[in-house]
Amino acid sequence: MNEPRSIMDKCFLVLKGLCMGAANKVPGVSGGIVAFVGGFYEEFIYSLQRINLKAFKLLANGRLRSFYRYVNGTFLTLLIFGMLVSYFSVSKLLDYFLAKKELFVWSAFFGMILGSIYYIGKDFEHWNKRTIPAGLIGLLVGVSISFLSPATENDNLWFVFLCGMISVSGMTLPGLSGSFILILLGNYVLLLVDSVNALYDTFSEVFRGDFSFVSNETRLNTLTILAVFTAGSATGLVSLSHLLSFVLKRYKHLTTITILGFITGSLGVVWPWKKTIYKTAENGAIQVDTNGKAVILNYERYLPDFTTSETWWAFICVGIGIGILLVLDWYGKKRSSTP
């Protein structure tokens, strides 16, 4: 796990971090899927598991080099760096395309999930009376989550911390979308759009020598919410990794098939042909929350219209999504076969 890495491997790690960060931002897509298909899921989980009491002792004793090696520092640093860059670059690009070309974005991610189902299932040879029920349970849970209705926004700091712990599951559990969970909890816009944009704006202002944000009560409140959310995410990430490493070591086949079922069930979340249903008042006006944002009730899914060119472009995007996974598969095989 601590083998020397080539420059190319390091670049790919940053790229994978970019992909994980972007995937975590999109409702219905799991950053864990990127890790799973990218061939670094287990290393990711086991590296996070190393953030434990022994690691903190090494840090407290000033043994920084030993701490860095113990937690697989190069791997985690490059991966997390890629995720952070993604939140301020790739994710903003995704926000733009989701607003302008939503159908094509959902189609590409739908294709990526189809590709990930193929990737995980093609080499699985442990179908038996234990794994099949586990896969069906994962499928049912995934489908059930897909059709839950979202709650309203809540900026209570304890609830925000809990949101952080829960939403980070998308990074450690392939198929479980952390951003979609935030939609269900009602805090997606607050935590992954407003808060991230507030931090970006603050950095931009500080870089220009403008410190006016210190007197902006709304901005400071949003940054506080982001800090609490980040603390909750870090807590959830480390605690979940310890649980998952235990499960992966003892029940690897059951875990794999459950993940496969869960990912398959999550296809309903990213079905490209859907429209948002907003909560309306008796007079037909769309209801908004305390922050003036439209309240989402659910999504109405429909079948594609094959008479339009947009539908065929969407299918091309599905093919591109599948192709991305096939390229990752090819790279993983090439890397593992290289001495």
Side-chain angles (χ1 to χ4, degrees):
M1 197 164 63
N2 282 303
E3 296 176 1
R5 299 178 186 273
S6 67
I7 296 295
M8 184 62 71
D9 282 342
K10 290 178 179 179
C11 290
F12 265 104
L13 262 180
V14 175
L15 182 61
K16 289 171 182 177
L18 285 169
C19 293
M20 282 189 76
N24 279 323
K25 187 77 180 288
V26 179
V29 184
S30 161
I33 288 181
V34 175
F36 208 100
V37 229
F40 61 98
Y41 178 70
E42 290 191 24
E43 183 175 4
F44 179 55
I45 295 301
Y46 293 143
S47 297
L48 289 173
Q49 186 202 13
R50 289 298 189 93
I51 303 175
N52 52 27
L53 185 60
K54 180 178 178 180
F56 284 116
K57 285 181 178 178
L58 289 172
L59 197 59
N61 292 329
R63 299 173 61 186
L64 299 182
R65 190 184 295 267
S66 298
F67 167 80
Y68 192 77
R69 284 200 303 265
Y70 180 74
V71 300
N72 199 14
T74 301
F75 173 83
L76 285 179
T77 301
L78 293 173
L79 198 66
I80 292 172
F81 172 74
M83 292 181 201
L84 291 175
V85 171
S86 173
Y87 267 78
F88 297 106
S89 56
V90 177
S91 61
K92 280 193 170 287
L93 190 63
L94 270 176
D95 288 343
Y96 171 81
F97 280 108
L98 278 170
K100 302 293 183 180
K101 300 291 182 182
E102 184 179 19
L103 174 62
F104 299 151
V105 175
W106 286 120
S107 297
F109 278 106
F110 189 80
M112 287 183 70
I113 293 181
L114 284 177
S116 69
I117 292 170
Y118 164 76
Y119 178 89
I120 298 170
K122 66 184 173 67
D123 296 323
F124 189 80
E125 300 174 348
H126 303 278
W127 301 97
N128 53 52
K129 61 183 180 181
R130 294 182 65 200
T131 57
I132 291 176
L136 290 174
I137 290 172
L139 176 66
L140 289 173
V141 173
V143 170
S144 300
I145 289 177
S146 299
F147 292 93
L148 289 175
S149 298
T152 54
E153 190 174 287
N154 185 344
D155 61 0
N156 178 276
L157 293 183
W158 285 109
F159 184 71
V160 167
F161 186 85
L162 179 64
C163 285
M165 291 192 67
I166 296 174
S167 69
V168 80
S169 57
M171 291 174 64
T172 51
L173 291 171
L176 181 59
S177 167
S179 54
F180 185 68
I181 294 296
L182 285 180
I183 284 181
L184 296 179
L185 295 172
N187 273 1
Y188 174 77
V189 174
L190 174 66
L191 299 175
L192 289 188
V193 180
D194 294 347
S195 297
V196 173
N197 287 342
L199 184 61
Y200 177 82
D201 293 340
T202 301
F203 280 150
S204 299
E205 291 169 4
V206 170
F207 184 75
R208 297 194 304 266
D210 179 4
F211 295 90
S212 60
F213 74 92
V214 296
S215 58
N216 186 331
E217 188 175 342
T218 302
R219 176 79 64 82
L220 291 176
N221 182 56
T222 306
L223 292 175
T224 301
I225 287 171
L226 180 60
V228 172
F229 176 68
T230 303
S233 298
T235 303
L237 194 61
V238 174
S239 56
L240 268 176
S241 65
H242 281 78
L243 175 63
L244 281 171
S245 63
F246 172 83
V247 173
L248 281 169
K249 284 178 181 176
R250 289 162 177 77
Y251 309 103
K252 185 171 183 177
H253 300 319
L254 283 174
T255 304
T256 301
I257 193 61
T258 303
I259 287 172
L260 181 61
F262 202 95
I263 293 174
T264 305
S266 72
L267 282 172
V269 181
V270 288
W271 177 252
W273 294 274
K274 61 179 177 234
K275 64 179 180 179
T276 306
I277 303 174
Y278 296 100
K279 188 175 182 180
T280 57
E282 291 183 1
N283 61 2
I286 295 177
Q287 290 192 8
V288 296
D289 57 23
T290 54
N291 293 312
K293 302 184 183 77
V295 178
I296 297 174
L297 272 181
N298 216 315
Y299 301 94
E300 181 182 321
R301 295 161 180 85
Y302 57 90
L303 294 175
D305 180 2
F306 291 97
T307 63
T308 65
S309 60
E310 188 180 54
T311 296
W312 293 106
W313 278 111
F315 274 106
I316 290 174
C317 290
V318 171
I320 290 172
I322 295 173
I324 290 172
L325 266 295
L326 294 178
V327 168
L328 283 173
D329 182 24
W330 168 81
Y331 172 73
K333 287 178 179 176
K334 182 181 177 181
R335 187 175 184 274
S336 60
S337 63
T338 303

